[in-house]
Amino acid sequence: MRNLIALLCYKQTSFLCYSEFMKKWVYVILVLVFCALFLKACVHQDFPNSVPPEIRGKSDVESVVFPPPQKTVSINGVDYLQSQAPIGKFGGELRASTIGEGPKTFNPFNSKDNISSLMSDVMYDGLLSTDAETGEPIPKLAKSFTVNGSDYIVNLRRGVKWSDGKEITADDVVFTWQNIIFDGFGNTSTRDSLVIDGKLPTVQKIDKYTVKFTTPQPFAPFIRMLSTPIAPKHVFEPAVKKGKDYFYTFLSTNDDPKTFVTSGAFRLKEYVPAQRVVFERNPDYYIINKNNEKLPYLDRLIYFIVGDLNNEVLKFEGGELDVIGLQGANVARFKEREPYSDYKIYNLGPNTGTMFLTMNLNDRRNKDGKFYVDPMKQRWFRDVNFRLACDYAIDRKNMVLNIANGLGEPLFTAESLNSIYLNEKLQPYPRNLEKAKEYLKKSGFFWDKKGHLRDKLNNHVEFDLYTNAGNTEREAIGVMVKQDLEDLGMKVNFKPVEFNTLVNRLMNTLDWDMVIMGLTGSPLEPNGGKNVWMSDGTLHMFNQRLDGDKTSRRLDWEKQIDEVYVKGALATSFAERKKYYDEYQRIAYEQKPFIYIYSPIVITAIRTKFKNIFPSGLTGITYNLEEIYVDEREKSEK
């Protein structure tokens, strides 16, 4: 499933030309960019200025030697999952960070943002997970699973317990899927992604440790959906019985962590708003090491809420953080210092998400009969020639060079550059202002004597451009997009705003013009984007349905995407599926509901004292938290 990110971090052209009113807050970004350009030569050999197609995806992870797959070991009636990684030492903590204001909820089924989802993933396990090396689905809470056409049989581990000591059984699985997900509690993105011809899968208990799922038709994406967290029925059922309004407040950030019943390697100990989230070791976790000792090794996992990217860098440099994702402007400096430091930098390859500019195509009226979007602006945004003009005006190459410091590649497709479903027939193209102007002229736009762009009704083209404040990378992109579009005579009012405010505009009030945003994604399964691309999807942000409006006012190309997306999910062979997903990418490429910007290379630094680090381009660097341990000898030697 894809979540809004403030939700993901990403970068454009000359900083020499920006309007006077932007100068105060752009100064910091300006300094960072010029520092990055000055130091770029330091990392040229390790991190090239661009990623040519022939080496796309190559990174440090290609030299990683992963341990053998985890295996099931039954001891005293408990089906443990045994780690095959080197045996480590118990104790210590890992200090990570999040950007923004922190989690909005600790309920995994209410989560709509990346940070809340991250916290949930720490506390709650799903039936399956993803192999970091191969990308294949692998058992987690499940001991094993089989797929036979439309039937999915899942065998649970016996003796595995919730953090309050109660056993995890088929009743928990059936309750989670039937009474929370299928009944539409919390964030309905998972449920919406599973609808086939108006029907949902079914789930039934076979016995205490066996569950059977059945999809209406063979449905290729379903197996990966089984990574969805499982809820403890005895804790969540009372909240469900109180109704959906109550459920939205259940396990909020104001609730006592002591009341949380979880299944993950760590359990919540403390949450201090705007400061930190502290997790402690689950002493009865079901993953063990080769000595049959219960993992995790770490005593604590701490996420500091750092506010913005600059503050995050300062805290890592000051030793307050142990791991950090580096933006392009900082990589050169960190790489130069690496040989003399206590950290190691990893290149994980292209980001699995996407970053884009999108416009509000909504033409709906609210209950008072007022348009959500100014009808004048709505005419511009719904005009494909206008969108194409904006697309050709954006200088992606300079964004990569100046903001990503060359560590990325321009993006033009709805699938990320490392997706196995990427439509490589959709070719990139350079910025072309003349072509942009041709598209505008086709729709009657013209320029007055002062060079201002006007529509055929003589209205000056002026609009607001938003992104989430504190994400300095997106703020830098916003400055450059503003300048690029103003080169066409448009008047762009760039307004970074607090993330929750931005999400409310996108999803509820629809009070926005353009926005720079990002989405998480999977390089292995496009159906995770169903809630974005289907016209009734909860994240179909450029033409959002509200108040039960599910089918009306769809544009023709939206209907086409609806059709091919459904066919892609129902196809069973990779070749057949790719044909349909190539087609949806082609439509998006031509219609530009999202104007994609670029795909950064994921660069992560982590302290060398941490062992059992097996970086993966699919799952990141700390996905195996239960196996990671601290070797203080490394620190003393440094």
Side-chain angles (χ1 to χ4, degrees):
M1 171 191 336
R2 298 188 182 184
N3 290 307
L4 280 177
I5 337 183
L7 248 129
L8 234 140
C9 305
Y10 300 80
K11 310 181 188 218
Q12 177 190 81
T13 177
S14 172
F15 271 100
L16 299 177
C17 301
Y18 48 81
S19 56
E20 288 295 318
F21 81 96
M22 302 296 288
K23 287 184 178 179
K24 292 183 180 179
W25 66 269
V26 170
Y27 178 75
V28 173
I29 301 172
L30 177 65
V31 172
L32 286 173
V33 170
F34 279 112
C35 288
L37 289 174
F38 177 75
L39 292 170
K40 189 166 91 174
C42 297
V43 294
H44 182 269
Q45 291 184 342
D46 290 333
F47 302 101
N49 289 339
S50 62
V51 186
E54 62 269 17
I55 63 168
R56 180 178 294 157
K58 283 194 174 182
S59 65
D60 293 333
V61 303
E62 295 192 2
S63 62
V64 173
V65 178
F66 289 88
Q70 296 175 340
K71 64 181 182 179
T72 296
V73 175
S74 297
I75 303 174
N76 298 327
V78 178
D79 294 326
Y80 291 104
L81 187 59
Q82 188 184 64
S83 164
Q84 300 302 297
I87 295 173
K89 299 179 180 180
F90 288 88
E93 65 186 24
L94 188 150
R95 299 165 298 174
S97 58
T98 67
I99 302 298
E101 297 186 331
K104 311 302 181 292
T105 180
F106 290 117
N107 186 333
F109 305 100
N110 284 339
S111 174
K112 294 183 179 180
D113 66 281
N114 197 43
I115 304 307
S116 297
S117 295
L118 175 63
M119 302 298 131
S120 296
D121 288 344
V122 170
M123 295 187 290
Y124 297 91
D125 285 352
L127 296 172
L128 305 183
S129 185
T130 299
D131 187 285
E133 181 178 15
T134 67
E136 293 297 315
I138 55 175
K140 194 74 184 279
L141 283 175
K143 179 180 179 180
S144 62
F145 63 94
T146 58
V147 181
N148 183 13
S150 297
D151 294 332
Y152 301 75
I153 305 296
V154 178
N155 300 300
L156 299 177
R157 299 182 183 281
R158 296 171 183 259
V160 175
K161 298 177 181 179
W162 295 105
S163 58
D164 64 356
K166 293 185 180 295
E167 191 176 13
I168 300 174
T169 69
D171 290 331
D172 297 304
V173 177
V174 172
F175 169 79
T176 298
W177 282 89
Q178 182 59 62
N179 300 101
I180 297 180
I181 297 173
F182 293 161
D183 286 351
F185 278 77
N187 183 353
T188 62
S189 295
T190 300
R191 182 195 65 178
D192 297 342
S193 297
L194 293 171
V195 175
I196 306 170
D197 290 337
K199 299 178 182 179
L200 285 166
T202 60
V203 58
Q204 66 179 107
K205 173 183 175 180
I206 303 301
D207 58 40
K208 186 177 181 180
Y209 302 107
T210 310
V211 175
K212 177 182 178 181
F213 295 90
T214 302
T215 56
Q217 299 179 45
F219 187 64
F222 184 70
I223 191 66
R224 295 192 183 278
M225 304 299 288
L226 293 179
S227 63
T228 300
I230 298 301
K233 179 180 178 180
H234 62 287
V235 175
F236 275 70
E237 188 173 40
V240 167
K241 288 182 176 179
K242 292 181 181 180
K244 294 182 179 179
D245 289 341
Y246 177 83
F247 191 82
Y248 278 118
T249 66
F250 183 58
L251 299 187
S252 75
T253 55
N254 296 319
D255 288 353
D256 184 356
K258 295 179 181 178
T259 66
F260 290 17
V261 177
T262 58
S263 60
F266 294 87
R267 57 192 185 189
L268 184 64
K269 181 180 181 181
E270 177 188 43
Y271 171 55
V272 181
Q275 293 186 39
R276 63 185 177 273
V277 184
V278 181
F279 294 96
E280 63 181 356
R281 178 179 184 271
N282 178 357
D284 201 20
Y285 195 46
Y286 61 94
I287 298 184
I288 59 177
N289 64 15
K290 289 185 287 187
N291 283 345
N292 296 334
E293 299 168 310
K294 292 182 179 179
L295 302 181
Y297 291 112
L298 297 170
D299 286 334
R300 288 174 302 280
L301 173 64
I302 305 173
Y303 287 95
F304 288 99
I305 301 167
V306 298
D308 60 48
L309 295 173
N310 291 329
N311 195 30
E312 184 179 51
V313 171
L314 291 174
K315 285 185 176 295
F316 184 83
E317 291 182 319
E320 297 178 55
L321 300 177
D322 296 316
V323 60
I324 185 174
L326 296 174
Q327 307 306 308
N330 294 309
V331 172
R333 179 162 52 88
F334 274 79
K335 186 65 178 176
E336 184 179 37
R337 297 176 179 177
E338 183 184 20
Y340 318 102
S341 73
D342 65 346
Y343 60 78
K344 180 174 175 56
I345 293 176
Y346 292 94
N347 172 357
L348 304 184
N351 197 296
T352 59
T354 55
M355 183 173 55
F356 50 81
L357 169 72
T358 188
M359 306 177 198
N360 192 343
L361 309 185
N362 207 301
D363 68 345
R364 290 157 187 71
R365 299 171 185 262
N366 62 22
K367 295 179 181 179
D368 298 325
K370 181 181 178 181
F371 277 103
Y372 285 109
V373 184
D374 183 335
M376 175 183 66
K377 295 178 181 177
Q378 181 254 328
R379 287 194 300 270
W380 305 338
F381 300 155
R382 289 171 73 90
D383 184 339
V384 66
N385 288 328
F386 184 87
R387 299 195 298 274
L388 285 167
C390 292
D391 176 62
Y392 272 97
I394 292 176
D395 196 337
R396 295 169 173 87
K397 181 178 179 181
N398 274 329
M399 289 184 183
V400 171
L401 290 175
N402 286 349
I403 303 179
N405 197 30
L407 305 180
E409 185 174 357
L411 183 65
F412 295 83
T413 55
E415 289 295 310
S416 61
L417 294 180
N418 61 352
S419 171
I420 61 176
Y421 289 94
L422 177 67
N423 185 344
E424 295 187 349
K425 294 180 181 179
L426 305 178
Q427 293 298 305
Y429 42 83
R431 186 191 197 212
N432 191 329
L433 282 180
E434 292 307 311
K435 195 162 189 174
K437 291 177 180 179
E438 290 175 8
Y439 279 116
L440 291 172
K441 291 175 183 178
K442 286 181 181 179
S443 293
F445 290 90
F446 66 96
W447 290 263
D448 62 23
K449 293 181 179 179
K450 295 183 178 181
H452 299 155
L453 182 66
R454 294 186 175 275
D455 65 16
K456 58 186 176 183
L457 299 179
N458 202 34
N459 297 301
H460 183 206
V461 177
E462 179 178 357
F463 50 82
D464 296 333
L465 171 63
Y466 296 95
T467 196
N468 48 295
N471 188 321
T472 51
E473 186 174 21
R474 290 193 194 157
E475 289 178 344
I477 292 170
V479 173
M480 294 179 169
V481 168
K482 168 186 168 67
Q483 181 60 57
D484 284 346
L485 297 183
E486 288 189 343
D487 286 347
L488 287 177
M490 302 177 184
K491 180 69 168 68
V492 182
N493 306 309
F494 182 42
K495 300 179 178 180
V497 298
E498 191 273 326
F499 182 64
N500 285 340
T501 301
L502 181 59
V503 171
N504 186 55
R505 286 175 177 269
L506 284 169
M507 302 312 209
N508 298 318
T509 68
L510 305 186
D511 180 21
W512 60 283
D513 296 337
M514 288 190 188
V515 67
I516 296 167
M517 184 55 69
L519 290 171
T520 57
S522 167
L524 303 171
E525 181 47 67
N527 195 68
K530 182 178 180 181
N531 60 335
V532 176
W533 287 106
M534 295 294 288
S535 58
D536 60 353
T538 55
L539 282 179
H540 193 71
M541 62 187 75
F542 52 84
N543 199 9
Q544 189 74 33
R545 267 60 178 160
L546 296 179
D547 302 325
D549 178 7
K550 297 295 183 182
T551 58
S552 63
R553 305 181 185 88
R554 288 186 301 169
L555 297 167
D556 288 342
W557 53 267
E558 287 183 285
K559 298 176 184 177
Q560 294 171 17
I561 290 180
D562 285 351
E563 293 173 3
V564 297
Y565 226 95
V566 170
K567 291 178 180 177
L570 295 178
T572 55
S573 72
F574 173 79
E576 190 71 9
R577 296 192 74 203
K578 191 171 189 312
K579 179 181 71 174
Y580 292 118
Y581 290 127
D582 279 354
E583 178 65 7
Y584 107 79
Q585 291 173 73
R586 182 195 63 78
I587 297 170
Y589 180 86
E590 294 176 353
Q591 295 296 329
K592 304 298 179 187
F594 292 133
I595 296 174
Y596 293 98
I597 300 177
Y598 70 88
S599 177
I601 294 174
V602 179
I603 309 294
T604 303
I606 188 168
R607 305 291 176 191
T608 53
K609 68 180 181 178
F610 292 98
K611 305 303 179 182
N612 281 347
I613 301 298
F614 310 108
S616 166
L618 297 175
T619 53
I621 200 166
T622 57
Y623 59 89
N624 60 327
L625 281 168
E626 72 279 357
E627 297 175 325
I628 295 174
Y629 69 94
V630 178
D631 186 347
E632 291 294 349
R633 291 177 303 175
E634 187 81 26
K635 183 176 180 181
S636 62
E637 289 172 3
K638 287 287 184 181

